Amino acid sequence: MIIVLKPGATQAEIDHVVEKIKAAGCTPHLSRGVERTIVGAIGDEAALRQLPLEILPGVDQVLPIMKPYKLVSREFHPEPSVIGAGGVLLGGKRLHVMAGPCAVEGRETLLGIARQVKAAGATVLRGGAFKPRTSPYAFQGLEAEGVRYLAEAREQTGLLVATELMDPRDLELLDRHVDFIQIGARNMQNFRLLKEVGNVRKPIILKRGLAATIKDLLLSAEYIVANGNPNVILCERGIRTFEDYTRNTLDIAAVPSIKTLSHLPVIVDPSHAGGRRDLVRPLSLAALAAGADGLMIEVHHNPEEAFSDGPQSLRPEGFASLMDELRRLAAFLGREL
Ligand code: PEP
Ligand code: MN
């Protein structure tokens, strides 16, 4: 249920509405917009319907939330949410590019890539320490050692760092050492894991599952927010279709669609979407033109020797020239990079 308050509603009136919702055993969520304040009420619909909300002082309208996802919906929170860590905030005017290797492969190589992507203008270093690999015989990541290297790269370069969480047992470690926790495509519907990351305040980058609809993605985000962590950034990374020329099919329409349906920031990963280096540039440009708040791009100093995803990784020089081009596009779009 959404309670829209009158433009001039007083604090006492807002508090009164909030108290009534709590007394009915439901949870109020306050959203202060430029024009109006909205109180979202989540909980037992029957109990809420019993409340005489329409006649409370300061209340303009009481509306049901029609969508299956509530807290992440635009109805619930009409203003875009700006989410991030440190100075890296996504969802505002400024665009951010997260870049780095698919996997953390070693200390020196990670530090080298970190310096190069930072010089090119990236603000977040990405790199997997726990890797979700299709084959159990493929490189699984450096695990805790990889997290240490990320933390060191963070200290040396000032970049924030993002890495994937696959198992709740590693949550404490990541919460302590990294700035963004990524939930990968393969775990988008691992609901226990989603609930666990609801218990921390760290921004979560939730990647769209290989066969997940936009609604599925938003319901997974709802799991995290409903469990206490409002800091979710959604990531379109391509979905599996009948087309096998590219690794996945980048659903470019998902970007404006999600931005209409939800207040959460949206980023695009052109590397896993296309699966090929030559596609990273056009897909990145398309993503920003479609309204994405940022990008996540794989960069490797020597893609031929990369432990994973070499064919889709940009070399540092290629990344730097792409960043120049993205800056020009950002200016055209009225955004900053
Ligand atoms: C990744 O970003 O390292 C990754 C494994 O991506 P995805 O979960 O989108 O496949
Ligand atoms: Mn990868």
Side-chain angles (χ1 to χ4, degrees):
M1 203 88 88
I2 292 172
I3 300 100
V4 184
L5 293 157
K6 290 180 180 152
T10 65
Q11 189 57 47
E13 288 168 342
I14 298 170
D15 291 345
H16 187 53
V17 170
V18 165
E19 284 315 314
K20 285 280 181 198
I21 294 167
K22 283 189 187 158
C26 298
T27 313
H29 294 263
L30 205 61
S31 170
R32 286 180 199 277
V34 183
E35 311 247 310
R36 281 175 184 241
T37 296
I38 286 173
V39 184
I42 299 290
D44 181 17
E45 291 285 322
L48 284 170
R49 272 197 298 274
Q50 297 292 317
L51 294 175
L53 293 167
E54 290 90 347
I55 59 165
L56 294 183
V59 172
D60 188 10
Q61 283 184 78
V62 178
L63 308 164
I65 306 177
M66 303 309 284
K67 302 276 183 338
Y69 40 85
K70 317 275 181 202
L71 300 168
V72 305
S73 75
R74 271 277 178 186
E75 292 158 282
F76 197 88
H77 192 293
E79 313 268 327
S81 286
V82 179
I83 291 168
V88 180
L89 299 174
L90 292 109
K93 192 173 179 192
R94 193 171 178 84
L95 301 166
H96 287 277
V97 178
M98 308 183 173
C102 178
V104 177
E105 299 177 0
R107 181 179 175 276
E108 308 306 324
T109 54
L110 184 72
L111 291 175
I113 296 169
R115 283 191 206 100
Q116 286 177 297
V117 299
K118 161 118 188 180
T123 45
V124 178
L125 174 68
R126 63 140 289 144
F130 299 94
K131 291 303 300 176
R133 303 307 301 282
T134 303
S135 164
Y137 305 114
F139 175 61
Q140 305 284 307
L142 296 181
E143 306 188 334
E145 184 188 346
V147 177
R148 273 208 307 282
Y149 298 153
L150 283 166
E152 193 179 340
R154 179 184 196 278
E155 210 158 282
Q156 289 205 11
T157 61
L159 285 168
L160 299 189
V161 294
T163 203
E164 178 167 351
L165 174 75
M166 292 207 296
D167 187 316
R169 287 171 294 187
D170 303 312
L171 178 57
E172 209 185 305
L173 178 78
L174 297 200
D175 192 30
R176 194 151 6 103
H177 296 292
V178 307
D179 304 286
F180 293 85
I181 296 175
Q182 183 173 318
I183 299 294
R186 289 155 194 80
N187 273 317
M188 188 205 83
Q189 287 189 312
N190 182 337
F191 302 115
R192 280 292 302 275
L193 189 61
L194 299 178
K195 286 184 190 177
E196 289 293 331
V197 296
N199 291 329
V200 296
R201 298 294 289 184
K202 200 127 280 188
I204 307 300
I205 300 168
L206 179 64
K207 299 190 85 174
R208 182 176 180 182
L210 277 74
T213 62
I214 290 170
K215 182 171 143 190
D216 294 336
L217 173 63
L218 292 173
L219 281 167
S220 288
E222 185 83 9
Y223 259 94
I224 302 172
V225 180
N227 279 281
N229 186 354
N231 302 314
V232 180
I233 296 157
L234 302 168
C235 180
E236 163 60 41
R237 46 78 74 206
I239 48 175
R240 219 165 242 192
T241 67
F242 55 81
E243 180 56 74
D244 61 2
Y245 181 71
T246 49
R247 183 174 179 181
N248 292 290
T249 298
L250 179 64
D251 182 6
I252 202 73
V255 178
S257 303
I258 295 170
K259 294 212 62 103
T260 305
L261 296 170
S262 175
H263 54 91
L264 298 175
V266 180
I267 64 170
V268 167
D269 171 350
S271 310
H272 291 89
R276 288 207 323 259
R277 186 174 308 117
D278 63 307
L279 291 174
V280 173
R281 172 186 171 272
L283 297 185
S284 298
L285 294 167
L288 294 194
D293 297 301
L295 296 166
M296 175 179 275
I297 299 177
E298 287 186 338
V299 177
H300 196 281
H301 60 292
N302 183 8
E304 293 82 65
E305 302 285 322
F307 294 0
S308 55
D309 287 349
Q312 68 194 32
S313 298
L314 292 183
R315 294 184 181 81
E317 318 78 74
F319 177 68
S321 68
L322 173 60
M323 285 297 284
D324 288 338
E325 210 168 346
L326 295 176
R327 261 188 289 272
R328 290 201 294 279
L329 176 60
F332 176 77
L333 295 169
R335 303 190 75 166
E336 288 162 11
L337 178 65

